[in-house]
Amino acid sequence: FSIELQLPKRTPFSQIKNHMRRDLSHVDRDVSLRFTEDPSQPSKIEVLVGDLLTHNLIFRLPEIRVPEKKVGPRIAIIIDDMGPSRRRARQLINLEAPLTLSFFPSSSNSGKLAQEALEKGKEVILHMPMEPKGFPGINPGKGALLMSMTDEELHRQIRENLDTIPSIKGVNNHMGSRFMENEHRVNILMQELKARELFFLDSRTTADTVGYRTAKELGIKTGQRDVFLDNNRSDEAEIRKNISELAEIAKNEGKAIGIGHPHPATIRSLRDMIPRLKETGIEIVPLSELMK
């Protein structure tokens, strides 16, 4: 009959063989052993009495448990509106942290700056302009996805925008408080992102956005913004407070996503706060690591 056994930890199969040879040699001269050692299969010892197989011992390797890597609180910091200012873009590109930089498709600087960002280890996404409430008084800029567009025009504009920076990992919305509430139009956007295997970050410029839900339903990796870091673009104290709030969310929830902009006060605040975040055990990661 067959018996399955698990080899003890740190006990080689050769040791088992030697012990069995020695012990059985005292039992009966008619008892013999036959060994099978195939690296792709469990090791076996067959016990024979004369020509009769009496026992088939199957030795399986001990289970090796790899301890799970403990993951601490993580945050992703996205900087929107990248492209128009080369000087500010380069200040952010050179910060010692894996920020995620979101470039406008319409800026003539975006392609070159995005390449510089990639060379410095930054993650690059596209800042897709979309129609806000208050349009045309509030203008999202060139290449915007508009409610007046036909489905065909939307598909064409989305593809044109995505093609401006081939190295992007994903997309988030610029403005879009009206567009992001329209399920049909958001679905058209998600179809294009899914075809290119891009993730979508919902910037949540409206409480009634359907972006995050639609992306999840279509099986697209997605997430949503937790904190806007610099609604008050010149108040460094408030920006630092918002970065601290982002860290607290990460401590409680395991992760958090913040969005800022290339304002001088934001850049100064990040320079000051990034080392502090690291000291408190907060890990800054590329946005793609938090997309599910």
Side-chain angles (χ1 to χ4, degrees):
F1 59 95
S2 292
I3 304 173
E4 288 201 15
L5 303 163
Q6 185 167 297
L7 279 169
K9 289 181 181 177
R10 295 184 292 277
T11 301
F13 183 61
S14 60
Q15 186 177 331
I16 302 290
K17 286 172 25 179
N18 292 336
H19 278 297
M20 288 196 68
R21 277 200 189 101
R22 184 193 63 201
D23 295 342
L24 286 175
S25 65
H26 303 298
V27 176
D28 191 321
R29 291 184 180 179
D30 288 336
V31 176
S32 61
L33 302 175
R34 190 161 57 203
F35 303 101
T36 303
E37 293 184 74
D38 182 343
S40 65
Q41 300 290 333
S43 298
K44 291 195 296 184
I45 299 178
E46 295 175 326
V47 182
L48 298 97
V49 178
D51 295 329
L52 178 65
L53 177 65
T54 60
H55 296 79
N56 184 28
L57 308 179
I58 301 169
F59 292 85
R60 299 194 178 277
L61 292 172
E63 292 182 7
I64 299 173
R65 293 186 181 179
V66 179
E68 291 184 12
K69 184 182 176 184
K70 194 170 182 180
V71 178
R74 298 177 296 165
I75 63 172
I77 298 176
I78 299 87
I79 305 297
D80 281 351
D81 298 359
M82 294 289 287
S85 171
R86 284 178 291 183
R87 182 174 61 84
R88 293 183 192 175
R90 286 177 176 136
Q91 288 176 329
L92 288 157
I93 287 169
N94 289 317
L95 279 179
E96 293 296 325
L99 305 178
T100 297
L101 305 180
S102 188
F103 286 87
F104 282 128
S106 56
S107 174
S108 59
N109 299 322
S110 287
K112 186 175 186 303
L113 289 169
Q115 186 57 40
E116 290 181 27
L118 289 168
E119 290 169 2
K120 286 283 190 175
K122 301 294 190 288
E123 188 165 78
V124 170
I125 65 174
L126 188 79
H127 201 32
M128 185 78 76
M130 305 177 188
E131 183 172 326
K133 294 170 183 175
F135 178 81
I138 301 173
N139 184 2
K142 186 180 176 184
L145 311 183
L146 302 175
M147 300 296 289
S148 59
M149 290 177 169
T150 65
D151 289 2
E152 184 180 344
E153 288 170 333
L154 266 179
H155 278 288
R156 186 166 58 247
Q157 187 64 66
I158 293 165
R159 290 169 188 162
E160 186 179 309
N161 289 349
L162 294 174
D163 287 341
T164 59
I165 308 176
S167 53
I168 57 171
K169 291 284 189 71
V171 167
N172 75 328
N173 54 297
H174 170 61
M175 298 190 182
S177 53
R178 178 172 290 154
F179 187 94
M180 290 301 298
E181 293 180 356
N182 187 287
E183 194 156 347
H184 175 71
R185 293 176 184 279
V186 169
N187 196 282
I188 290 174
L189 170 65
M190 297 305 168
Q191 288 173 30
E192 294 292 343
L193 300 189
K194 186 169 185 176
R196 300 192 187 209
E197 298 183 341
L198 299 172
F199 65 72
F200 179 73
L201 172 68
D202 194 334
S203 301
R204 293 196 60 80
T205 55
T206 169
D208 296 321
T209 176
V210 298
Y212 177 73
R213 174 174 58 80
T214 305
K216 282 190 77 173
E217 288 172 354
L218 290 174
I220 296 168
K221 287 185 178 181
T222 188
Q224 48 191 342
R225 182 267 311 162
D226 294 297
V227 180
F228 274 126
L229 303 179
D230 51 8
N231 280 329
N232 190 336
R233 60 190 295 171
S234 58
D235 189 335
E236 288 186 46
E238 183 176 320
I239 294 169
R240 288 195 295 271
K241 180 182 175 184
N242 290 338
I243 295 172
S244 296
E245 179 188 344
L246 187 70
E248 285 303 310
I249 294 171
K251 287 176 184 176
N252 293 327
E253 305 292 334
K255 64 184 180 67
I257 297 171
I259 292 179
H261 301 81
H263 306 314
T266 304
I267 297 169
R268 287 193 296 268
S269 298
L270 287 171
R271 280 198 190 116
D272 178 58
M273 292 293 290
I274 285 169
R276 299 189 194 186
L277 291 170
K278 293 177 181 176
E279 287 170 7
T280 58
I282 302 291
E283 184 183 6
I284 302 172
V285 298
L287 178 59
S288 58
E289 291 193 20
L290 303 188
M291 297 291 97
K292 290 187 177 180

